[in-house]
Short mmCIF file of all heavy atoms in Angstrom, two decimals:
data_model
loop_
_atom_site.label_atom_id
_atom_site.label_comp_id
_atom_site.label_asym_id
_atom_site.label_seq_id
_atom_site.Cartn_x
_atom_site.Cartn_y
_atom_site.Cartn_z
N ASN B 387 76.19 107.66 89.89
CA ASN B 387 77.58 108.01 89.60
C ASN B 387 78.50 107.12 90.41
O ASN B 387 79.64 106.67 89.93
CB ASN B 387 77.86 109.44 89.89
CG ASN B 387 78.92 110.05 89.14
OD1 ASN B 387 79.12 111.28 89.20
ND2 ASN B 387 79.79 109.28 88.64
N PHE B 388 78.23 106.94 91.78
CA PHE B 388 79.06 106.20 92.53
C PHE B 388 79.07 104.73 92.22
O PHE B 388 80.14 104.13 92.23
CB PHE B 388 78.64 106.33 94.03
CG PHE B 388 79.48 105.48 94.97
CD1 PHE B 388 80.70 105.93 95.32
CD2 PHE B 388 79.02 104.33 95.52
CE1 PHE B 388 81.57 105.31 96.19
CE2 PHE B 388 79.85 103.52 96.33
CZ PHE B 388 81.16 104.05 96.63
N VAL B 389 78.01 104.26 91.74
CA VAL B 389 77.97 102.87 91.28
C VAL B 389 79.04 102.58 90.06
O VAL B 389 79.72 101.73 90.08
CB VAL B 389 76.51 102.42 90.90
CG1 VAL B 389 76.60 101.02 90.12
CG2 VAL B 389 75.53 102.29 92.00
N TYR B 390 79.04 103.59 89.15
CA TYR B 390 79.90 103.59 88.06
C TYR B 390 81.35 103.66 88.64
O TYR B 390 82.23 102.82 88.14
CB TYR B 390 79.62 104.72 87.19
CG TYR B 390 78.70 104.34 86.04
CD1 TYR B 390 77.28 104.67 86.27
CD2 TYR B 390 79.09 103.68 84.89
CE1 TYR B 390 76.42 104.33 85.33
CE2 TYR B 390 78.15 103.35 84.00
CZ TYR B 390 76.72 103.64 84.22
OH TYR B 390 75.83 103.32 83.24
N PHE B 391 81.50 104.46 89.60
CA PHE B 391 82.94 104.52 90.14
C PHE B 391 83.27 103.18 90.78
O PHE B 391 84.44 102.65 90.66
CB PHE B 391 83.05 105.60 91.14
CG PHE B 391 84.26 105.53 92.08
CD1 PHE B 391 85.54 105.87 91.44
CD2 PHE B 391 84.12 105.17 93.32
CE1 PHE B 391 86.78 105.73 92.24
CE2 PHE B 391 85.35 104.93 94.02
CZ PHE B 391 86.58 105.25 93.64
N ALA B 392 82.34 102.67 91.59
CA ALA B 392 82.65 101.44 92.31
C ALA B 392 82.97 100.18 91.36
O ALA B 392 83.89 99.51 91.64
CB ALA B 392 81.45 101.11 93.19
N ILE B 393 82.21 100.26 90.25
CA ILE B 393 82.50 99.16 89.21
C ILE B 393 83.84 99.25 88.61
O ILE B 393 84.65 98.41 88.57
CB ILE B 393 81.31 99.20 88.19
CG1 ILE B 393 80.07 98.56 88.73
CG2 ILE B 393 81.73 98.35 86.94
CD1 ILE B 393 78.92 98.61 87.89
N ALA B 394 84.19 100.56 88.28
CA ALA B 394 85.43 100.86 87.69
C ALA B 394 86.66 100.54 88.71
O ALA B 394 87.53 99.92 88.29
CB ALA B 394 85.44 102.18 87.19
N TYR B 395 86.40 101.10 89.93
CA TYR B 395 87.50 100.90 90.83
C TYR B 395 87.65 99.44 91.44
O TYR B 395 88.79 98.96 91.54
CB TYR B 395 87.25 101.93 92.08
CG TYR B 395 88.38 101.80 93.07
CD1 TYR B 395 89.64 102.29 92.70
CD2 TYR B 395 88.08 101.11 94.29
CE1 TYR B 395 90.68 102.19 93.74
CE2 TYR B 395 89.19 101.04 95.20
CZ TYR B 395 90.38 101.68 94.95
OH TYR B 395 91.38 101.49 95.80
N TYR B 396 86.54 98.90 91.87
CA TYR B 396 86.59 97.57 92.54
C TYR B 396 86.78 96.38 91.49
O TYR B 396 87.31 95.42 91.92
CB TYR B 396 85.43 97.36 93.46
CG TYR B 396 85.40 98.33 94.61
CD1 TYR B 396 84.53 99.44 94.58
CD2 TYR B 396 86.31 98.16 95.65
CE1 TYR B 396 84.55 100.30 95.68
CE2 TYR B 396 86.30 99.02 96.74
CZ TYR B 396 85.50 100.17 96.81
OH TYR B 396 85.46 100.96 97.73
N ILE B 397 86.25 96.59 90.39
CA ILE B 397 86.40 95.36 89.36
C ILE B 397 87.55 95.60 88.47
O ILE B 397 88.31 94.79 88.21
CB ILE B 397 85.11 95.19 88.60
CG1 ILE B 397 83.88 94.80 89.63
CG2 ILE B 397 85.09 94.11 87.61
CD1 ILE B 397 82.55 94.68 89.05
N HIS B 398 87.55 96.79 87.75
CA HIS B 398 88.45 96.93 86.62
C HIS B 398 89.88 97.49 86.97
O HIS B 398 90.89 97.08 86.46
CB HIS B 398 87.93 97.76 85.50
CG HIS B 398 86.51 97.30 85.07
ND1 HIS B 398 86.45 96.05 84.44
CD2 HIS B 398 85.37 97.80 85.11
CE1 HIS B 398 85.16 95.91 84.29
NE2 HIS B 398 84.45 96.87 84.57
N PHE B 399 89.96 98.37 87.94
CA PHE B 399 91.21 99.00 88.39
C PHE B 399 92.25 97.96 88.79
O PHE B 399 93.44 98.07 88.29
CB PHE B 399 90.86 99.92 89.42
CG PHE B 399 92.03 100.63 90.00
CD1 PHE B 399 92.86 101.53 89.31
CD2 PHE B 399 92.55 100.33 91.29
CE1 PHE B 399 94.04 102.17 89.84
CE2 PHE B 399 93.64 100.93 91.90
CZ PHE B 399 94.35 101.79 91.12
N PRO B 400 91.86 96.94 89.60
CA PRO B 400 93.04 96.06 89.99
C PRO B 400 93.58 95.29 88.72
O PRO B 400 94.76 94.83 88.81
CB PRO B 400 92.29 95.00 90.81
CG PRO B 400 91.07 95.77 91.22
CD PRO B 400 90.70 96.59 90.10
N LYS B 401 92.84 95.21 87.72
CA LYS B 401 93.33 94.37 86.55
C LYS B 401 94.37 95.02 85.66
O LYS B 401 95.02 94.40 84.87
CB LYS B 401 92.15 93.90 85.65
CG LYS B 401 91.16 92.95 86.43
CD LYS B 401 90.40 92.10 85.57
CE LYS B 401 89.69 91.06 86.20
NZ LYS B 401 88.60 91.45 87.13
N ILE B 402 94.43 96.27 85.77
CA ILE B 402 95.30 97.02 84.72
C ILE B 402 96.44 97.81 85.42
O ILE B 402 97.20 98.55 84.66
CB ILE B 402 94.49 98.09 83.89
CG1 ILE B 402 93.77 99.10 84.86
CG2 ILE B 402 93.47 97.53 83.11
CD1 ILE B 402 93.70 100.43 84.31
N THR B 403 96.59 97.59 86.78
CA THR B 403 97.51 98.45 87.38
C THR B 403 98.83 97.71 88.03
O THR B 403 99.36 98.16 88.89
CB THR B 403 96.82 99.33 88.54
OG1 THR B 403 96.14 98.35 89.30
CG2 THR B 403 95.99 100.36 88.07
N GLY B 404 99.17 96.59 87.42
CA GLY B 404 100.29 95.86 87.96
C GLY B 404 101.52 96.65 88.11
O GLY B 404 102.17 96.72 89.16
N ASP B 405 101.93 97.24 86.98
CA ASP B 405 103.27 97.98 86.98
C ASP B 405 103.23 99.15 87.93
O ASP B 405 104.19 99.47 88.53
CB ASP B 405 103.53 98.57 85.51
CG ASP B 405 103.94 97.43 84.60
OD1 ASP B 405 104.34 96.31 85.17
OD2 ASP B 405 104.04 97.65 83.48
N ASN B 406 102.13 99.84 88.14
CA ASN B 406 102.07 100.98 89.03
C ASN B 406 102.39 100.66 90.43
O ASN B 406 102.68 101.44 91.26
CB ASN B 406 100.60 101.62 88.96
CG ASN B 406 100.39 102.13 87.68
OD1 ASN B 406 101.15 102.18 86.81
ND2 ASN B 406 99.11 102.54 87.47
N TYR B 407 102.16 99.28 90.78
CA TYR B 407 102.32 98.98 92.13
C TYR B 407 103.36 97.86 92.32
O TYR B 407 103.46 97.03 93.31
CB TYR B 407 100.91 98.42 92.72
CG TYR B 407 99.88 99.53 92.82
CD1 TYR B 407 99.04 99.78 91.64
CD2 TYR B 407 99.86 100.49 93.88
CE1 TYR B 407 98.10 100.81 91.85
CE2 TYR B 407 98.90 101.39 93.87
CZ TYR B 407 98.15 101.63 92.78
OH TYR B 407 97.15 102.60 92.89
N GLN B 408 104.34 97.87 91.41
CA GLN B 408 105.34 96.99 91.33
C GLN B 408 104.89 95.52 91.65
O GLN B 408 105.45 94.75 92.41
CB GLN B 408 106.51 97.38 92.49
CG GLN B 408 106.89 98.77 92.14
CD GLN B 408 108.25 99.17 92.99
OE1 GLN B 408 108.83 98.34 93.50
NE2 GLN B 408 108.51 100.40 92.95
N PHE B 409 103.81 95.10 90.84
CA PHE B 409 103.24 93.91 91.12
C PHE B 409 104.31 92.76 90.84
O PHE B 409 105.17 92.85 89.83
CB PHE B 409 102.04 93.70 90.22
CG PHE B 409 101.21 92.35 90.45
CD1 PHE B 409 100.31 92.32 91.35
CD2 PHE B 409 101.63 91.18 89.80
CE1 PHE B 409 99.55 91.12 91.65
CE2 PHE B 409 101.04 90.04 89.96
CZ PHE B 409 99.94 89.96 90.98
N GLY B 410 104.30 91.66 91.71
CA GLY B 410 105.17 90.51 91.34
C GLY B 410 106.13 90.20 92.40
O GLY B 410 106.40 88.97 92.62
N TYR B 411 106.71 91.26 93.11
CA TYR B 411 107.68 90.79 94.15
C TYR B 411 107.14 89.92 95.26
O TYR B 411 107.69 88.96 95.70
CB TYR B 411 108.27 92.02 94.74
CG TYR B 411 109.23 92.85 93.71
CD1 TYR B 411 108.99 94.12 93.34
CD2 TYR B 411 110.35 92.15 93.19
CE1 TYR B 411 109.82 94.76 92.45
CE2 TYR B 411 111.04 92.75 92.34
CZ TYR B 411 110.92 94.07 91.94
OH TYR B 411 111.77 94.75 91.10
N LYS B 412 105.96 90.35 95.79
CA LYS B 412 105.32 89.50 96.79
C LYS B 412 105.02 88.11 96.25
O LYS B 412 105.29 87.08 96.94
CB LYS B 412 103.94 90.17 97.24
CG LYS B 412 103.12 89.31 98.14
CD LYS B 412 101.70 89.80 98.24
CE LYS B 412 100.89 88.85 99.07
NZ LYS B 412 99.37 89.28 99.03
N GLN B 413 104.33 88.08 95.07
CA GLN B 413 103.98 86.78 94.45
C GLN B 413 105.38 85.88 94.16
O GLN B 413 105.34 84.66 94.50
CB GLN B 413 103.24 87.01 93.21
CG GLN B 413 101.92 87.61 93.40
CD GLN B 413 101.75 89.02 93.75
OE1 GLN B 413 102.80 89.74 93.69
NE2 GLN B 413 100.69 89.44 94.31
N ALA B 414 106.35 86.48 93.76
CA ALA B 414 107.54 85.75 93.50
C ALA B 414 108.17 85.18 94.80
O ALA B 414 108.58 84.01 94.89
CB ALA B 414 108.52 86.66 92.82
N PHE B 415 108.16 86.06 95.85
CA PHE B 415 108.70 85.49 97.14
C PHE B 415 107.77 84.46 97.71
O PHE B 415 108.40 83.39 98.17
CB PHE B 415 108.80 86.67 98.15
CG PHE B 415 109.30 86.23 99.53
CD1 PHE B 415 110.61 85.69 99.62
CD2 PHE B 415 108.35 86.10 100.55
CE1 PHE B 415 111.01 85.26 100.91
CE2 PHE B 415 108.78 85.52 101.68
CZ PHE B 415 110.20 85.18 101.93
N LEU B 416 106.64 84.60 97.60
CA LEU B 416 105.67 83.50 98.25
C LEU B 416 105.87 82.10 97.38
O LEU B 416 105.78 81.03 97.95
CB LEU B 416 104.13 84.02 98.21
CG LEU B 416 103.86 85.07 99.08
CD1 LEU B 416 102.38 85.49 99.05
CD2 LEU B 416 104.35 84.85 100.61
N GLU B 417 106.14 82.26 96.17
CA GLU B 417 106.32 81.12 95.27
C GLU B 417 107.69 80.30 95.66
O GLU B 417 107.61 79.14 95.86
CB GLU B 417 106.51 81.46 93.81
CG GLU B 417 105.10 81.89 93.17
CD GLU B 417 104.28 80.65 92.92
OE1 GLU B 417 104.61 79.52 93.13
OE2 GLU B 417 102.95 80.83 92.60
N ILE B 418 108.69 81.20 95.88
CA ILE B 418 110.07 80.50 96.20
C ILE B 418 110.23 80.14 97.65
O ILE B 418 111.04 79.39 97.95
CB ILE B 418 111.15 81.30 95.79
CG1 ILE B 418 111.26 82.66 96.50
CG2 ILE B 418 111.06 81.64 94.24
CD1 ILE B 418 112.56 83.38 96.47
#
Side-chain angles (χ1 to χ4, degrees):
Chain B
N387 199 170
F388 180 75
V389 169
Y390 272 91
F391 165 73
I393 286 174
Y395 179 74
Y396 293 102
I397 296 176
H398 304 301
F399 175 69
K401 294 203 169 69
I402 58 149
T403 50
D405 283 346
N406 296 354
Y407 296 93
Q408 304 196 10
F409 185 90
Y411 287 125
K412 172 191 168 185
Q413 289 71 17
F415 176 72
L416 295 183
E417 288 287 351
I418 65 161

